[in-house]
Amino acid sequence: PEAPANESTSGTTGSTSTSPNEQPNAEDMEAFVSTYLETASSDPAAGFQMLTPAFQEASGGFAGYQSFWGSVTNPRLLEPARADADNLTVAYRYQFEVRGEGSKQDDVFLHLEFQDGRYRIAGEE
């Protein structure tokens, strides 16, 4: 494997790209949150795979994760997510329906992990 020879010769700083980025960026982190909310509510097993192994365990394993996300429908961001690419954190407020309980809101602060061009949720405050 070769070490990166030149870090900033592409001239694409600040631009968007459809190819996987080698470094985290706020736009991709914000898109990840939207994808995660949709995935977790429609397919909790797939949403669970968007967590790091350590956070899967901290979430009570799949049974604990499923106990929440299995009852959530129609999640939607109430305002755009706010990502900090330097610290791999993203904050957002969302509204969702819980079967048998009605509409709820939550403010979430996530810690992400970025590896091989992919984000995973490593923790939540």
Side-chain angles (χ1 to χ4, degrees), residues 75-93:
R76 57 198 171 281
L77 291 172
L78 296 176
E79 55 193 47
R82 298 168 313 280
D84 178 344
D86 292 334
N87 293 307
L88 281 174
T89 58
V90 62
Y92 60 94
R93 172 177 286 167

Side-chain angles (χ1 to χ4, degrees), residues 39-49 62 65-66 69-71:
T39 302
S41 64
S42 63
D43 184 355
F48 187 69
Q49 295 306 312
F62 183 66
Y65 184 85
Q66 168 78 15
W69 283 107
S71 64

Side-chain angles (χ1 to χ4, degrees), residues 26-47:
E27 185 176 308
D28 288 349
M29 291 168 65
E30 292 160 3
F32 172 81
V33 165
S34 294
T35 299
Y36 172 71
L37 291 173
E38 183 178 315
T39 302
S41 64
S42 63
D43 184 355

Side-chain angles (χ1 to χ4, degrees), residues 17-23 28 114 116-118:
S17 171
T18 55
S19 63
N21 290 300
E22 292 182 19
Q23 296 296 320
D28 288 349
F114 183 76
D116 299 325
R118 291 181 47 196

